Amino acid sequence: MPAVAPRGSNPAVILVLGSCISLQFGAAFAAQLFPMLGSWGTTTLRLGIAALVLLAIARPAVRGWNWDQWRATFALGLSLAGMNGFFYAAIERIPLGAAVAIEFLGPLALAAVLTRKGRDLIWVGLALAGMGVLALETFTTSATLDPLGVFFALVAAVFWALYIQTGSRVGILVPGTGGLAVALLVATLTVAPLGAAGASAVIEAPHLLLIGLGTALLASVIPYTLELAAMRRVPRNVFGILLSLEPVAATAVGWLLLHQHAGPMRLASVALVVAASVGSSLYASAVSADQDQDQRESRRDELAHS
């Protein structure tokens, strides 16, 4: 079985936070492509460029893959296609904040389902409360939401939960980033029937390729690589909670770069999410340390009796 990175939640927090910050900058690039390419065209171009870049870097040795590795990678590709395609289709119809709040139901629901201990439910509850406050702020300051946009966001939420499941499995079965590279290619081919026509607009406006490259690097290659590394370090339920750091990153970037004011409800949401992320990470670290200690003691007992 391929080697898996040592489990540890503190590095995972840094990796997920780096992914969230990168995604915020990637969203700024993607917004420039929407008017010309549409949501599915932007998705196709972004995933396609990301696949080419990562395939060139990772050079996956696919000839040596077994059936389990191929199946896991193909499932990850389908998850990436649905998560990206339907989320972009959602934010074309409803405000970004509303779409994010709805989509986060996927990771949080998965975290709740996978949680087996009462203390873990505390962190899930805190994260859910934080996202609830964010949703309340968004819905009370927005006009009536397009029902189809809400539906697309809910579909994206399901695929986001599947992304965590399939990404964790690829992280175990496929070493390096080769699995992610092939998965991005599968995702591109999946969304191409809906987005190829829109993406072809870059032929008439080649400068869009540079914007597409920036979008692919900041919204796909960098964040998915960081998240894959994080998924190798923490359980899926902890990773699902850590993903709720994305609104925190959005608030920080908006405040630092765009001078956007964060109201009391947004700050309360950020505080709850940070508390959930820190609590779940520290608890996961403690559990991991206890398990390592148990393994060392068990090993000493075996040596003493041998």
Side-chain angles (χ1 to χ4, degrees), residues 170-228:
V170 168
I172 294 172
L173 295 176
V174 185
T177 56
L180 176 60
V182 175
L184 284 168
L185 179 60
V186 172
T188 304
L189 296 176
T190 302
V191 300
L194 294 172
S200 65
V202 298
I203 298 175
E204 300 176 359
H207 71 280
L208 294 179
L209 277 176
L210 290 177
I211 301 176
L213 176 61
T215 304
L217 292 176
L218 293 170
S220 292
V221 175
I222 295 174
Y224 293 152
T225 300
L226 293 175
E227 289 176 6
L228 182 65

Side-chain angles (χ1 to χ4, degrees), residues 131-258:
M131 297 311 300
V133 172
L134 175 64
L136 182 62
E137 181 203 44
T138 300
F139 295 155
T140 54
T141 57
S142 301
T144 303
L145 298 179
D146 183 325
L148 188 56
V150 173
F151 173 75
F152 286 154
L154 287 171
V155 175
V158 174
F159 277 107
W160 202 353
L162 292 175
Y163 160 70
I164 297 173
Q165 293 277 68
T166 56
S168 296
R169 183 158 178 77
V170 168
I172 294 172
L173 295 176
V174 185
T177 56
L180 176 60
V182 175
L184 284 168
L185 179 60
V186 172
T188 304
L189 296 176
T190 302
V191 300
L194 294 172
S200 65
V202 298
I203 298 175
E204 300 176 359
H207 71 280
L208 294 179
L209 277 176
L210 290 177
I211 301 176
L213 176 61
T215 304
L217 292 176
L218 293 170
S220 292
V221 175
I222 295 174
Y224 293 152
T225 300
L226 293 175
E227 289 176 6
L228 182 65
M231 282 189 275
R232 286 174 169 145
R233 287 168 166 80
V234 293
R236 288 167 294 173
N237 62 318
V238 174
F239 180 76
I241 296 172
L242 291 180
L243 281 179
S244 57
L245 286 170
E246 187 168 327
V248 177
T251 300
V253 170
W255 179 64
L256 290 172
L257 300 182
L258 304 177

Side-chain angles (χ1 to χ4, degrees), residues 9 13 108 111 115 119-131 237-245 248 268-285:
S9 59
V13 173
L108 292 180
T115 294
R119 187 178 298 181
D120 287 339
L121 286 174
I122 296 174
W123 317 130
V124 175
L126 282 175
L128 184 59
M131 297 311 300
N237 62 318
V238 174
F239 180 76
I241 296 172
L242 291 180
L243 281 179
S244 57
L245 286 170
V248 177
S269 171
V270 168
L272 288 168
V273 167
V274 169
S277 300
V278 172
S280 64
S281 299
L282 291 176
Y283 180 64
S285 293

Side-chain angles (χ1 to χ4, degrees), residues 76-100:
L76 176 59
L78 294 179
S79 301
L80 285 168
M83 180 179 71
N84 285 279
F86 282 104
F87 180 70
Y88 274 18
I91 62 177
E92 197 173 31
R93 293 174 173 269
I94 62 177
L96 177 61
V100 169

